């Protein structure tokens, strides 16, 4: 199940969503990080382990200057701090540094402070790593973002220009969203000087700046209710300010919307760099900047695919590698697969984060865990 609300609010649809949520709440407690790990597959030489457990609804990941890993949640309404990972072979210690917030899935760290996206508000915890046991009260940076909760949760990041980048998803499955939605904006760290960065973005929950080019790339979730195989989620690249990526008129760069695409042409909008697959729910993405993984992974985009909720056969439920040569795609292949078996979800990856040693952290909001992926070259087989 991909947990995105739909624009149809009929009694039937509401009942179906309620039933799906009841299944999610029933299944989640029965899952464990150990169960998920037993079913996962990775390329030769890669190893996966539990970095932290007891992190309910773990979503966006960010690392503080002193090594604390912070984790936002969507449904839990909390922000967590993970420390002492691997101490005596145990998972990281988990603290709650903020609670009672509205969908605080998006977090980012800047100049010692932790920024939190909570739908209409951006909050900040000042000097947070010095106060993990007595976290400060959140300070409001801005409270002027749209208050719609449909696609209202955030993914936050500070760019190379020192500005805070914030998406505002479309408040619907598909609609004419209005000037305040379906776009990516940036602002100063104090919440002032808002600027539109890109338009026509249905719901981006992951973006990063490509090393070398410093261009911003982002994932975008395609609309629902066009069947199992349309439209694809997207990996996109911004080449100019104000660029329009098609929503709600054109999907996946080549498919006009049956309602809103009338009289439009897909040629007028920027197509994706890569179609990621229909309903895979592409969320967090980062460029791999470490040196631990083999050379083919360096500079690749790594994407957490949360997994479908509305296909007759599930798609996604994996972490994917997009190997690149500049803007040219060389390959699209799994790094971690097996978060679902026999149409039953055992985990749902939500974000990825490259650590200073080159290992990769992966959050799982179904199990409530964070994993660490590392690499060691396989030993050559002995000659007989």
């Amino acid at each position: 199940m991909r947990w995105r609300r739909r624009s149809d609010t009929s009694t039937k649809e509401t009942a179906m969503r309620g039933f799906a949520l009841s299944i999610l709440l029933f299944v989640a407690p029965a899952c464990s990080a150990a169960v998920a790990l037993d079913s996962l597959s990775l390329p030769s030489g890669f190893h996966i382990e539990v970095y932290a457990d007891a992190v309910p609804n773990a979503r966006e990941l960010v690392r503080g200057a002193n090594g604390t890993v912070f984790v936002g949640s969507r449904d839990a309404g909390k922000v967590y701090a993970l420390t002492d990972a691997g101490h005596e072979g145990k998972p990281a210690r988990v603290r709650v540094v903020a609670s009672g917030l509205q969908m605080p899935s998006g977090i980012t760290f800047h100049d010692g402070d932790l920024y939190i996206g909570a739908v209409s508000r951006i909050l900040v915890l000042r000097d947070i790593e010095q106060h993990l046991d007595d976290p400060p009260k959140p300070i409001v940076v801005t409270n002027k973002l749209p208050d719609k909760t449909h696609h209202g949760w955030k993914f936050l990041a500070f760019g190379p220009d020192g500005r805070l980048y914030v998406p505002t998803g479309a408040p619907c499955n598909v609609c004419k969203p209005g000037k305040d939605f379906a776009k990516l904006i940036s602002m100063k760290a104090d919440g002032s000087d808002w600027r539109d960065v890109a338009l026509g973005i249905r719901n981006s929950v992951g973006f990063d700046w490509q090393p070398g080019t410093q261009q911003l790339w982002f994932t975008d979730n395609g609309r629902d209710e066009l069947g199992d195989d349309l439209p694809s989620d997207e990996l996109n690249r911004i080449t100019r300010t104000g660029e329009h990526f098609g929503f709600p008129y054109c999907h996946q760069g080549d498919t006009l919307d049956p309602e809103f695409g009338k009289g439009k042409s897909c040629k007028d909008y920027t197509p994706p760099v890569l179609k990621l697959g229909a309903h895979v729910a592409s969320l967090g993405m980062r460029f791999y900047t470490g040196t631990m993984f083999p050379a083919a992974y360096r500079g690749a985009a790594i994407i957490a695919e949360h997994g479908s909720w509305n296909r007759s056969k599930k798609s996604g439920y994996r972490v994917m590698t997009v190997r690149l040569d500049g803007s040219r795609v060389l390959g699209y292949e799994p790094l971690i697969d097996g978060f679902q078996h026999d149409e039953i979800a055992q985990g749902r990856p939500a974000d990825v984060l490259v650590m200073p040693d080159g290992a990769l952290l992966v959050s799982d909001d179904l199990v409530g865990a964070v994993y660490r992926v590392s690499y060691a070259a396989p030993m050559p087989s002995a000659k007989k």
Side-chain angles (χ1 to χ4, degrees), residues 26 43 87 105 119 197 211 306 320-321 342 363-364 381:
F26 177 77
H87 182 63
S105 59
V119 187
V197 176
H306 197 226
M320 298 294 289
T321 300
D342 299 324
S363 60
D364 180 339
S381 57

Side-chain angles (χ1 to χ4, degrees), residues 94-207:
V94 180
R95 296 178 178 91
V96 175
V97 294
S99 61
L101 304 181
Q102 187 178 32
M103 296 182 172
S105 59
I107 57 172
T108 192
F109 192 86
H110 181 68
D111 288 345
D113 302 329
L114 184 69
Y115 289 73
I116 305 168
V119 187
S120 63
R121 302 189 298 165
I122 304 293
L123 310 169
V124 63
L125 301 179
R126 300 292 187 196
D127 199 23
I128 182 60
E129 287 187 288
Q130 305 305 317
H131 302 282
L132 296 178
D133 290 320
D134 59 338
K137 182 179 179 180
I139 297 170
V140 177
V141 174
T142 183
N143 59 4
K144 299 183 183 303
L145 291 163
D147 61 2
K148 303 295 185 184
T149 56
H150 193 135
H151 298 152
W153 55 93
K154 309 298 183 194
F155 182 99
L156 303 183
F158 276 89
D161 56 3
R163 294 175 63 84
L164 176 61
Y165 285 71
V166 183
T168 56
C172 56
N173 170 34
V174 62
C175 61
K176 286 189 176 179
K179 64 181 180 63
D180 294 328
F181 297 93
K183 63 182 181 178
L184 180 67
I185 67 171
S186 74
M187 63 183 72
K188 291 183 178 179
D190 64 2
S192 66
D193 189 28
W194 291 23
R195 302 176 188 173
D196 285 350
V197 176
L199 310 173
I201 302 170
R202 181 177 179 271
N203 185 35
S204 178
V205 198
F207 49 87

Side-chain angles (χ1 to χ4, degrees), residues 282-355:
S282 52
L283 300 186
M285 66 82 61
R286 318 275 175 157
F287 287 101
Y288 184 73
T289 54
T291 58
M292 177 189 287
F293 292 5
Y297 288 85
R298 294 170 195 171
I302 301 181
I303 301 173
E305 294 185 352
H306 197 226
S308 62
W309 64 269
N310 58 347
R311 291 186 88 244
S312 59
K313 187 174 182 180
K314 284 182 168 58
S315 60
Y317 297 91
R318 57 191 183 177
V319 175
M320 298 294 289
T321 300
V322 182
R323 293 188 296 108
L324 297 165
D325 178 9
S327 62
R328 186 166 65 94
V329 176
L330 302 178
Y332 176 49
E333 56 213 16
L335 175 61
I336 313 173
D337 206 351
F339 283 101
Q340 68 91 11
H341 287 275
D342 299 324
E343 299 299 297
I344 298 174
Q346 298 186 27
R348 303 192 77 186
D351 195 18
V352 295
L353 179 67
V354 182
M355 297 292 278

Side-chain angles (χ1 to χ4, degrees), residues 31 54 70 82 110 118 130 185 204 208 234 259 286 311 367:
C31 296
F70 296 96
L82 312 182
H110 181 68
Q130 305 305 317
I185 67 171
S204 178
D208 196 9
E234 302 174 2
E259 179 180 359
R286 318 275 175 157
R311 291 186 88 244
V367 168

